[in-house]
Amino acid sequence: MLSYIIRRILYAVPILIGVNLITFLLFFMVNSPDDMARAQLGAKQVSPELIHSWKEARGYDKPLFINYESEGIQKATDTLFVQESLKLFSFDFGFSDANRDIGSDIKERMAPSLAIALPTFLIALITNISLALLLVLFRGSVLDTSMMILAVMIMSISGLFYIIAGQVLFSKMWHWVPISGYESGWDGVKFIILPVLIGVFAGIGSGVRWYRSIFLEQINQDYVRTARAKGLSELKVLFGHVLRNGMLPILTGVVVIIPSLFMGSLIMESFFGIPGLGSYTIDAIHAQDFAIVKAMVFLGSVLYIVGLILTDISYTLFDPRVKLS
Amino acid sequence: MKIILLWTDVMVWLLVISLLLWAWTVSRSPQVRKLWHTVFKSSIAMASAIILLFYLLFALLDSVHFRLATTTNESQSKTLQYGGITSLLDIMFSHNMKNTERTYSAPFATHEYTKSIVLNEHGVTKQEYLPLKYVGTGDDIIGKSIFAGFVGLVIVGVLILMHILWRGRRGLKSELPWRTAYLTFGVLIITFTWLYLLSYHYHVLGTDKVGGDVLYQSLKSIRTGVLIGILTTLIMLPVAVILGVSAGLFGGWVDDGIQYLYTTLSSIPGVLLIAAGVLSMQVMMDNNPTWFETTLERSDLRLLFLIIILGVTSWTGLCRLLRAETLKISQIEFVTAAKAFGVGKVTIIRRHIIPNLMHIILISVVLDFSGLVLAEAVLSYVGVGVDPTMHSWGNMINQARLEMAREPMVWWSLFSAFVFMFILVLAANLFSDRIQRVLDPRNKS
Amino acid sequence: MSTMLAVTDLNVSIGQDTLLKSISFEIQQGEIFALVGESGSGKSLTSLAIMRLLPDVISIRSGDITLHNKSLFVLPESQMQKIRGKQIAMIFQEPMSALNPVMTVGEQVAEVIKIHLGLKKDAVRKKVISLFEEVALKNPKERYGWYPHQLSGGQKQRVMIAIALACEPDLLIADEPTTALDVTIQAQVLTLLKKIQKDRGLSILFITHDMAIVAQMADKIAVMYHGEIVEQAERKTFFTHPQHPYTKSLLKDAMVKIEKHTIDIDKDTLLEVEGLKVHFPIKKGLLQRTVGYVKAVDDVTFSIKRGKTLALVGESGSGKSTIGQAILSLIPVTQGSVKFENINLVDLHDKALKVYRRKIQIVFQDPFSALNPRMNIGDIIREGMISLGVGPQTRVLQDEYIKTLLLKVELQADYLTRYPHEFSGGQRQRIGIARALAVEPELIICDEPTSALDVSVRMQVLKLLKKLQKESAVSYLFITHDLSIVPVIADEVAVMKEGKIVEQGLVSDVMHNPQNAYTQKLLLSAPKLPNNENI
């Protein structure tokens, strides 16, 4: 088990190097440090000296991949790529264009992101699974077919519609909750309710359909017939056998996104004015702040890889057939 | 007249040609014909397909670009000059393009939506609703509607009659739900004729902040949505199929390499990767202003890049699926039999593996389509979508979302964008459901 | 004796299609009632109807089923649940999938006790362990916490039987309980069932396709054919005086005579396998080092003469199929040689091998996966002809050639343009044979070609293979787990166990006078028909 985890973590290193290479290609080759300097310093007619000093201040004056001026191993290490990668690997994200420490910004903004993303995730999981089980219990009935049609319709509507409609109805017309904003602690609940509800509702269509298909696949298995032949009621069959087996494919889809919850939701946070990582990212994209986008890309992949490892570990915990070696 | 081929036009028409070729080759196999027959036996699938074709028709109409010749008498000799780039759809709606109002107006309104300060003949300032410039008195809307409905009915009647006669002459007896097909077709044509004929007298879906016609914008947006939906798949498909099949069939270091590639790519959050790509692309385009002459060409190039970026970022899921399935198929005995005959790997892929993967590919293409149409709206909101000057539902939503905060609300831009999108995505989802039910072998029992 | 279960005039249909037609039979207290028939005859459907577990799309048109003279059809579902598992219990064909993979086997037995008997936790556990002892599961206390995947097929079926017996049912429905098991395990499970039936005075509805098992187990027999019971009789009269022609043909197909076999020494040897070893590495640890080998085939030597058949017999996992693949050079050989016409194929590279690909062909076990569902029959057969350059090379002539081939394997010539899904298992197997024959091979490796087929079809395919051998002097390496068909097809037989050949020789010698203990056990385990004294 331990050796497996170590192997998985070691396997993550080349992937992160790959991620770095991709971001590096996008941010330093397509968009060279000179371009960045010019974009940052404003006018097109900035003097070469100014650009040089801007690059020097950020350490961007090194060659991209191979430093011909250096000796030995330094030829490869004293380059922009290696230096930038090393910084990222030590989670040193540097400074944004507005000269703020990105690392501490991220720390500060994780909590509001989680405050939205975690409840949305949990409530959605529970609602979707319960609804799916209900539909499987009444499979083939009018309830089932009409709910499935409803599910297709729900998933055919743009998520932006739910947000706008929700804000208009609940905040603007009925004044139940504030339209946007954020506060930490229990006072902040009133800000969270609407985005969480909308997030849950927007995902209900595809969610229920997915879980339902998983459970339906299980219900046609031989062991379910055995369970019925034992004299179990349909409810016991569902909860005792189908749910337990269905949890395994659900795990693969669900566990992997748990770490990514830290990243927050781009759209939700920006519409509701939540000062989380999602709105941070979106602001950075709008402001074309490459340093922040780069940091978020790296953070995102790290969290995804953590999610992959967690998925494998959860499999060993829940599926007796899987023994990691 | 000079035909202009934008980059995306080239791709669209290439796609149409290859689709037709594919349909032709496929239709020769009685087995596949039967499968498609089963797909269309469902009336929902039939109706969805007709709606999808209707959208596709608009996208194609909007993909024929040209410059119209205008003769001028500036000097002694007549010189031939070309106007701006327009499309067939623009010609159809040239009245709406030209008739730009001053500001907001509601659907079918005769007056502006907000009061303006005007100076009357007595020199007194007054707030009043100004009449719209290009809308008449607005009377007899019912009479015009009846006329439009009648015209629509005639068109529908003639077309359906022609089809029935054609079917009768071919002696085709099929259990396909033609009645549903005619009904859907009829509703679509009549609604469109009604909207179109009335658009000469009204702004049927209202106007936006700068007085642009919302119906025209919504229809123009169809091309953007449909193109992103299908061209992205076109880019992504060969990559996913080639890499997925090779990984599954060859194994060893090829498999390791491909797995590494897609794990790496899929580990980056999708929106961020797209954002990073689009941001870099913007810088690149800013640095190379010589690549395009007009704003239309610029926004077209940006659309092309966006499609490529979406394609590059979205092949991983399908690739993983195809790899697993190839692995499974290559263990099946008919592949072993082929190997025992000494059949080469390429032939095995072409003859045994790809045909047995077709259902997965097809299902994912149709499923991805609706996802991409929805994604366009989100990306445009984030600011990494299509060019802001381009007509798209995402841009319409983005520009109009603050209008909901106005008192009273300006709802029609948002509403139109959402409705146009909803119908397309719903049709695609229903169609993909049906395809999945028919083609997925797991559903056979 | 009282009537335990009575099925009267049961009609079952799906949509417009009738699945069961007027089924009537009675099972007495303490009786084993066998329902015999081929796949699709409706025997499993009948058992599900008794349990009221038919899928929703299938409906019962008329008839009644009574248990202890009380109708099961009038009961509400909640009452029926009290009967399932308590009064009527059931075991299924596939022990691999019939148990819940994520529950311990102990829990699965305990579950049925809890809902029907309402015992306390400790009492339940005790009961489960005693049940495990009754079904002869070793180390019952330890096994309680095991998961299904940790048990072998036979052990899983024992767990299934324990679940069925847990609440002391009046009637046990056993739906092909041993079909998926190896022959030695099958014998053990059948003995166990018989013993339990005697000890408890249980009634059993035994569903099977195997006449020999019927002979061994049943008191009364009903034969089903196309949803109807065509014959019903006591065991004795059934085997001595079968009435219905279908029953007669079933019994005839199940009986095999062994003729005296001889091998001409002067015939030349076609294939010589010497010291063949196929080992698969086991990888473990941080660096995925090879820590050991699975010895799938371990030092195997045999030879086949031209125009003769060698049967390779063994239970699952004995390595018999691996040998076939090694001869075809589809998997790497660890050590040893495969000489075909005195050329060692192991040394050859892809290109040089192509000549021999033509001469060695294969027919597979599963008729459903052996043919590409997206290709028509003509193209399937054509594939090898094109790849190996055999026969005519123009399409029109090829079509003619393929048509004669189809006639040769007793199919119709116009099947050429049809697709695999239009054919039955037996027909597909014939197509598979035609595909192999198309390249005029000298050796065909038949990898369990008949084990997925019904008894009557099985015989036809074997006869076809025999006929083709006479016509073209092709040799067969016939891989099978079923000793009973060996005399029909083979001249020589080699018995395999755990990657090694334990005994080989002429069929008549080995079958009449087995020397090796394992061969003896195999022969003893195989169920036999009563009046088949010459085995």
Side-chain angles (χ1 to χ4, degrees), chain A residues 236-280:
Chain A
K236 277 194 180 136
V237 170
L238 266 188
F239 283 97
H241 292 266
V242 172
L243 182 61
R244 229 156 131 179
N245 278 278
M247 280 321 281
L248 297 174
I250 292 176
L251 272 182
T252 8
V254 163
V255 174
V256 73
I257 59 167
I258 292 177
S260 308
L261 292 177
F262 283 101
M263 301 283 289
S265 154
L266 262 63
I267 308 295
M268 219 51 109
E269 288 181 13
S270 107
F271 263 98
F272 288 97
I274 312 281
L277 283 177
S279 56
Y280 188 57

Short mmCIF file of all heavy atoms in Angstrom, two decimals, chain A residues 236-280:
data_model
loop_
_atom_site.label_atom_id
_atom_site.label_comp_id
_atom_site.label_asym_id
_atom_site.label_seq_id
_atom_site.Cartn_x
_atom_site.Cartn_y
_atom_site.Cartn_z
N LYS A 236 -34.69 -3.02 0.35
CA LYS A 236 -33.48 -3.61 0.91
C LYS A 236 -32.50 -3.98 -0.20
O LYS A 236 -31.29 -3.87 -0.03
CB LYS A 236 -33.83 -4.84 1.74
CG LYS A 236 -34.26 -4.49 3.15
CD LYS A 236 -34.28 -5.73 4.04
CE LYS A 236 -34.70 -5.34 5.44
NZ LYS A 236 -35.67 -6.28 6.00
N VAL A 237 -33.03 -4.46 -1.32
CA VAL A 237 -32.16 -4.79 -2.45
C VAL A 237 -31.43 -3.53 -2.91
O VAL A 237 -30.22 -3.53 -3.12
CB VAL A 237 -32.99 -5.38 -3.62
CG1 VAL A 237 -32.14 -5.49 -4.87
CG2 VAL A 237 -33.54 -6.74 -3.23
N LEU A 238 -32.20 -2.43 -2.99
CA LEU A 238 -31.61 -1.17 -3.46
C LEU A 238 -30.53 -0.67 -2.51
O LEU A 238 -29.41 -0.38 -2.91
CB LEU A 238 -32.69 -0.10 -3.59
CG LEU A 238 -33.33 0.07 -4.96
CD1 LEU A 238 -34.22 1.29 -4.93
CD2 LEU A 238 -32.26 0.24 -6.02
N PHE A 239 -30.88 -0.57 -1.24
CA PHE A 239 -29.93 0.04 -0.30
C PHE A 239 -28.84 -0.91 0.13
O PHE A 239 -27.69 -0.51 0.31
CB PHE A 239 -30.68 0.60 0.92
CG PHE A 239 -31.36 1.89 0.62
CD1 PHE A 239 -32.71 1.91 0.27
CD2 PHE A 239 -30.66 3.07 0.63
CE1 PHE A 239 -33.33 3.10 -0.04
CE2 PHE A 239 -31.28 4.27 0.31
CZ PHE A 239 -32.62 4.28 -0.03
N GLY A 240 -29.18 -2.20 0.29
CA GLY A 240 -28.19 -3.14 0.78
C GLY A 240 -27.23 -3.61 -0.30
O GLY A 240 -26.08 -3.92 -0.01
N HIS A 241 -27.70 -3.69 -1.54
CA HIS A 241 -26.85 -4.30 -2.56
C HIS A 241 -26.50 -3.34 -3.70
O HIS A 241 -25.35 -3.15 -4.01
CB HIS A 241 -27.54 -5.55 -3.12
CG HIS A 241 -27.63 -6.66 -2.12
ND1 HIS A 241 -26.71 -7.66 -2.03
CD2 HIS A 241 -28.53 -6.90 -1.14
CE1 HIS A 241 -27.02 -8.49 -1.05
NE2 HIS A 241 -28.14 -8.05 -0.50
N VAL A 242 -27.54 -2.76 -4.31
CA VAL A 242 -27.31 -1.93 -5.49
C VAL A 242 -26.50 -0.69 -5.13
O VAL A 242 -25.51 -0.35 -5.78
CB VAL A 242 -28.65 -1.54 -6.14
CG1 VAL A 242 -28.43 -0.53 -7.24
CG2 VAL A 242 -29.34 -2.76 -6.68
N LEU A 243 -26.89 -0.01 -4.06
CA LEU A 243 -26.19 1.22 -3.68
C LEU A 243 -24.73 0.92 -3.37
O LEU A 243 -23.82 1.62 -3.79
CB LEU A 243 -26.88 1.85 -2.47
CG LEU A 243 -26.29 3.17 -1.99
CD1 LEU A 243 -26.36 4.22 -3.09
CD2 LEU A 243 -27.01 3.67 -0.76
N ARG A 244 -24.52 -0.18 -2.62
CA ARG A 244 -23.16 -0.52 -2.22
C ARG A 244 -22.26 -0.78 -3.43
O ARG A 244 -21.12 -0.36 -3.46
CB ARG A 244 -23.22 -1.76 -1.34
CG ARG A 244 -22.43 -1.59 -0.07
CD ARG A 244 -22.97 -2.51 0.96
NE ARG A 244 -21.89 -3.26 1.59
CZ ARG A 244 -22.12 -4.14 2.56
NH1 ARG A 244 -23.34 -4.38 2.97
NH2 ARG A 244 -21.12 -4.78 3.11
N ASN A 245 -22.78 -1.50 -4.40
CA ASN A 245 -21.98 -1.77 -5.59
C ASN A 245 -21.88 -0.55 -6.50
O ASN A 245 -20.86 -0.33 -7.13
CB ASN A 245 -22.57 -2.94 -6.37
CG ASN A 245 -22.15 -4.27 -5.79
OD1 ASN A 245 -21.07 -4.75 -6.07
ND2 ASN A 245 -22.99 -4.82 -4.94
N GLY A 246 -22.98 0.22 -6.55
CA GLY A 246 -22.96 1.40 -7.40
C GLY A 246 -21.99 2.45 -6.90
O GLY A 246 -21.49 3.28 -7.65
N MET A 247 -21.69 2.42 -5.59
CA MET A 247 -20.78 3.42 -5.03
C MET A 247 -19.40 3.35 -5.68
O MET A 247 -18.70 4.35 -5.75
CB MET A 247 -20.63 3.22 -3.52
CG MET A 247 -21.76 3.78 -2.67
SD MET A 247 -22.39 5.34 -3.24
CE MET A 247 -21.15 6.44 -2.61
N LEU A 248 -19.03 2.17 -6.18
CA LEU A 248 -17.68 2.03 -6.73
C LEU A 248 -17.47 2.88 -7.98
O LEU A 248 -16.56 3.71 -8.01
CB LEU A 248 -17.36 0.56 -7.00
CG LEU A 248 -17.35 -0.29 -5.72
CD1 LEU A 248 -17.19 -1.76 -6.07
CD2 LEU A 248 -16.24 0.15 -4.80
N PRO A 249 -18.32 2.73 -9.02
CA PRO A 249 -18.15 3.64 -10.16
C PRO A 249 -18.39 5.09 -9.78
O PRO A 249 -17.76 5.99 -10.36
CB PRO A 249 -19.19 3.15 -11.18
CG PRO A 249 -20.09 2.24 -10.44
CD PRO A 249 -19.32 1.69 -9.30
N ILE A 250 -19.25 5.33 -8.79
CA ILE A 250 -19.49 6.71 -8.37
C ILE A 250 -18.21 7.31 -7.78
O ILE A 250 -17.86 8.45 -8.04
CB ILE A 250 -20.66 6.78 -7.38
CG1 ILE A 250 -21.97 6.42 -8.09
CG2 ILE A 250 -20.77 8.16 -6.74
CD1 ILE A 250 -23.17 6.36 -7.18
N LEU A 251 -17.50 6.47 -7.00
CA LEU A 251 -16.25 6.94 -6.38
C LEU A 251 -15.28 7.50 -7.42
O LEU A 251 -14.71 8.57 -7.23
CB LEU A 251 -15.57 5.78 -5.66
CG LEU A 251 -15.96 5.51 -4.22
CD1 LEU A 251 -15.15 4.36 -3.69
CD2 LEU A 251 -15.72 6.75 -3.38
N THR A 252 -15.10 6.76 -8.52
CA THR A 252 -14.15 7.21 -9.54
C THR A 252 -14.48 8.61 -10.03
O THR A 252 -13.60 9.42 -10.26
CB THR A 252 -14.16 6.31 -10.80
OG1 THR A 252 -15.23 5.40 -10.67
CG2 THR A 252 -12.86 5.65 -11.02
N GLY A 253 -15.78 8.85 -10.21
CA GLY A 253 -16.15 10.16 -10.74
C GLY A 253 -16.11 11.24 -9.69
O GLY A 253 -15.90 12.41 -10.02
N VAL A 254 -16.31 10.87 -8.43
CA VAL A 254 -16.54 11.89 -7.41
C VAL A 254 -15.26 12.26 -6.64
O VAL A 254 -14.95 13.43 -6.47
CB VAL A 254 -17.64 11.40 -6.43
CG1 VAL A 254 -17.62 12.20 -5.16
CG2 VAL A 254 -19.00 11.50 -7.10
N VAL A 255 -14.51 11.25 -6.22
CA VAL A 255 -13.36 11.52 -5.36
C VAL A 255 -12.35 12.43 -6.07
O VAL A 255 -11.76 13.32 -5.47
CB VAL A 255 -12.70 10.21 -4.91
CG1 VAL A 255 -11.43 10.49 -4.14
CG2 VAL A 255 -13.65 9.42 -4.06
N VAL A 256 -12.23 12.21 -7.37
CA VAL A 256 -11.19 12.93 -8.10
C VAL A 256 -11.44 14.45 -8.08
O VAL A 256 -10.49 15.24 -8.14
CB VAL A 256 -11.08 12.39 -9.54
CG1 VAL A 256 -12.25 12.82 -10.39
CG2 VAL A 256 -9.79 12.80 -10.17
N ILE A 257 -12.69 14.86 -7.93
CA ILE A 257 -12.92 16.31 -7.96
C ILE A 257 -12.88 16.94 -6.57
O ILE A 257 -12.89 18.17 -6.45
CB ILE A 257 -14.25 16.68 -8.66
CG1 ILE A 257 -15.42 16.03 -7.94
CG2 ILE A 257 -14.23 16.34 -10.11
CD1 ILE A 257 -16.75 16.60 -8.38
N ILE A 258 -12.83 16.13 -5.51
CA ILE A 258 -12.87 16.72 -4.17
C ILE A 258 -11.74 17.73 -3.94
O ILE A 258 -12.00 18.85 -3.51
CB ILE A 258 -12.88 15.62 -3.09
CG1 ILE A 258 -14.22 14.87 -3.16
CG2 ILE A 258 -12.70 16.21 -1.70
CD1 ILE A 258 -14.33 13.72 -2.21
N PRO A 259 -10.48 17.36 -4.22
CA PRO A 259 -9.44 18.37 -3.99
C PRO A 259 -9.65 19.64 -4.82
O PRO A 259 -9.36 20.74 -4.37
CB PRO A 259 -8.16 17.65 -4.41
CG PRO A 259 -8.47 16.22 -4.35
CD PRO A 259 -9.91 16.10 -4.70
N SER A 260 -10.19 19.45 -6.02
CA SER A 260 -10.37 20.61 -6.90
C SER A 260 -11.43 21.57 -6.38
O SER A 260 -11.57 22.68 -6.93
CB SER A 260 -10.73 20.14 -8.31
OG SER A 260 -9.79 19.20 -8.74
N LEU A 261 -12.17 21.16 -5.36
CA LEU A 261 -13.18 22.07 -4.80
C LEU A 261 -12.51 23.35 -4.29
O LEU A 261 -13.11 24.41 -4.27
CB LEU A 261 -13.93 21.40 -3.64
CG LEU A 261 -14.84 20.23 -4.03
CD1 LEU A 261 -15.47 19.62 -2.81
CD2 LEU A 261 -15.92 20.69 -4.99
N PHE A 262 -11.24 23.22 -3.88
CA PHE A 262 -10.51 24.39 -3.40
C PHE A 262 -10.44 25.50 -4.46
O PHE A 262 -10.34 26.66 -4.13
CB PHE A 262 -9.07 24.00 -3.02
CG PHE A 262 -8.99 23.30 -1.71
CD1 PHE A 262 -8.85 21.93 -1.64
CD2 PHE A 262 -9.05 24.03 -0.52
CE1 PHE A 262 -8.77 21.29 -0.43
CE2 PHE A 262 -8.97 23.37 0.71
CZ PHE A 262 -8.83 22.00 0.75
N MET A 263 -10.47 25.06 -5.72
CA MET A 263 -10.33 26.03 -6.80
C MET A 263 -11.56 26.91 -6.96
O MET A 263 -11.52 27.93 -7.62
CB MET A 263 -10.06 25.31 -8.13
CG MET A 263 -8.83 24.46 -8.13
SD MET A 263 -7.34 25.46 -8.28
CE MET A 263 -7.47 25.98 -9.97
N GLY A 264 -12.66 26.46 -6.40
CA GLY A 264 -13.88 27.26 -6.48
C GLY A 264 -14.52 27.20 -7.85
O GLY A 264 -14.06 26.50 -8.74
N SER A 265 -15.63 27.92 -7.99
CA SER A 265 -16.32 27.93 -9.27
C SER A 265 -16.19 29.31 -9.88
O SER A 265 -16.53 30.32 -9.26
CB SER A 265 -17.80 27.59 -9.07
OG SER A 265 -18.55 28.17 -10.10
N LEU A 266 -15.68 29.33 -11.10
CA LEU A 266 -15.41 30.61 -11.77
C LEU A 266 -16.67 31.45 -11.88
O LEU A 266 -16.73 32.59 -11.43
CB LEU A 266 -14.88 30.33 -13.18
CG LEU A 266 -13.37 30.37 -13.36
CD1 LEU A 266 -12.72 29.30 -12.55
CD2 LEU A 266 -13.03 30.20 -14.82
N ILE A 267 -17.69 30.86 -12.49
CA ILE A 267 -18.88 31.61 -12.84
C ILE A 267 -19.65 32.03 -11.59
O ILE A 267 -20.00 33.20 -11.42
CB ILE A 267 -19.79 30.75 -13.73
CG1 ILE A 267 -19.02 30.19 -14.88
CG2 ILE A 267 -20.99 31.52 -14.19
CD1 ILE A 267 -18.53 31.22 -15.83
N MET A 268 -19.88 31.03 -10.72
CA MET A 268 -20.67 31.28 -9.54
C MET A 268 -20.08 32.42 -8.72
O MET A 268 -20.77 33.35 -8.31
CB MET A 268 -20.68 29.99 -8.73
CG MET A 268 -21.97 29.66 -8.08
SD MET A 268 -23.32 29.73 -9.20
CE MET A 268 -23.70 28.02 -9.38
N GLU A 269 -18.78 32.33 -8.47
CA GLU A 269 -18.15 33.33 -7.61
C GLU A 269 -18.18 34.72 -8.24
O GLU A 269 -18.35 35.71 -7.55
CB GLU A 269 -16.70 32.91 -7.31
CG GLU A 269 -16.65 31.73 -6.37
CD GLU A 269 -15.23 31.32 -6.05
OE1 GLU A 269 -14.30 32.10 -6.34
OE2 GLU A 269 -15.05 30.22 -5.51
N SER A 270 -18.02 34.75 -9.55
CA SER A 270 -17.97 36.08 -10.15
C SER A 270 -19.36 36.70 -10.21
O SER A 270 -19.52 37.90 -10.02
CB SER A 270 -17.30 36.01 -11.52
OG SER A 270 -18.21 36.17 -12.54
N PHE A 271 -20.40 35.89 -10.41
CA PHE A 271 -21.76 36.44 -10.42
C PHE A 271 -22.20 36.89 -9.03
O PHE A 271 -22.91 37.87 -8.89
CB PHE A 271 -22.76 35.39 -10.93
CG PHE A 271 -23.08 35.53 -12.38
CD1 PHE A 271 -22.45 34.75 -13.33
CD2 PHE A 271 -24.01 36.46 -12.80
CE1 PHE A 271 -22.74 34.88 -14.67
CE2 PHE A 271 -24.31 36.61 -14.14
CZ PHE A 271 -23.67 35.81 -15.07
N PHE A 272 -21.78 36.14 -8.01
CA PHE A 272 -22.26 36.44 -6.67
C PHE A 272 -21.26 37.24 -5.84
O PHE A 272 -21.46 37.41 -4.64
CB PHE A 272 -22.63 35.15 -5.94
CG PHE A 272 -23.89 34.54 -6.48
CD1 PHE A 272 -23.84 33.52 -7.42
CD2 PHE A 272 -25.13 35.00 -6.07
CE1 PHE A 272 -24.98 32.99 -7.93
CE2 PHE A 272 -26.29 34.46 -6.59
CZ PHE A 272 -26.22 33.45 -7.52
N GLY A 273 -20.19 37.68 -6.48
CA GLY A 273 -19.22 38.51 -5.77
C GLY A 273 -18.57 37.84 -4.59
O GLY A 273 -18.37 38.44 -3.54
N ILE A 274 -18.27 36.56 -4.73
CA ILE A 274 -17.60 35.83 -3.65
C ILE A 274 -16.09 36.01 -3.86
O ILE A 274 -15.58 35.72 -4.94
CB ILE A 274 -17.92 34.33 -3.71
CG1 ILE A 274 -19.41 34.09 -3.87
CG2 ILE A 274 -17.32 33.59 -2.53
CD1 ILE A 274 -20.21 34.22 -2.63
N PRO A 275 -15.37 36.47 -2.85
CA PRO A 275 -13.93 36.69 -3.04
C PRO A 275 -13.12 35.41 -2.94
O PRO A 275 -12.24 35.28 -2.10
CB PRO A 275 -13.58 37.66 -1.91
CG PRO A 275 -14.56 37.33 -0.83
CD PRO A 275 -15.82 36.87 -1.51
N GLY A 276 -13.41 34.45 -3.79
CA GLY A 276 -12.72 33.16 -3.74
C GLY A 276 -11.72 33.03 -4.87
O GLY A 276 -11.43 34.00 -5.59
N LEU A 277 -11.22 31.80 -5.04
CA LEU A 277 -10.21 31.58 -6.07
C LEU A 277 -10.81 31.62 -7.47
O LEU A 277 -10.13 31.96 -8.43
CB LEU A 277 -9.52 30.23 -5.84
CG LEU A 277 -8.50 30.25 -4.72
CD1 LEU A 277 -7.92 28.86 -4.51
CD2 LEU A 277 -7.38 31.24 -5.03
N GLY A 278 -12.08 31.28 -7.58
CA GLY A 278 -12.73 31.31 -8.89
C GLY A 278 -12.79 32.73 -9.43
O GLY A 278 -12.39 33.00 -10.57
N SER A 279 -13.27 33.64 -8.61
CA SER A 279 -13.35 35.03 -9.09
C SER A 279 -11.95 35.62 -9.24
O SER A 279 -11.70 36.45 -10.11
CB SER A 279 -14.20 35.87 -8.15
OG SER A 279 -13.69 35.79 -6.85
N TYR A 280 -11.02 35.14 -8.40
CA TYR A 280 -9.62 35.55 -8.52
C TYR A 280 -9.10 35.21 -9.91
O TYR A 280 -8.52 36.04 -10.62
CB TYR A 280 -8.82 34.79 -7.46
CG TYR A 280 -7.38 35.22 -7.29
CD1 TYR A 280 -7.06 36.54 -6.98
CD2 TYR A 280 -6.36 34.28 -7.36
CE1 TYR A 280 -5.74 36.92 -6.78
CE2 TYR A 280 -5.04 34.64 -7.16
CZ TYR A 280 -4.74 35.96 -6.88
OH TYR A 280 -3.44 36.32 -6.67
#
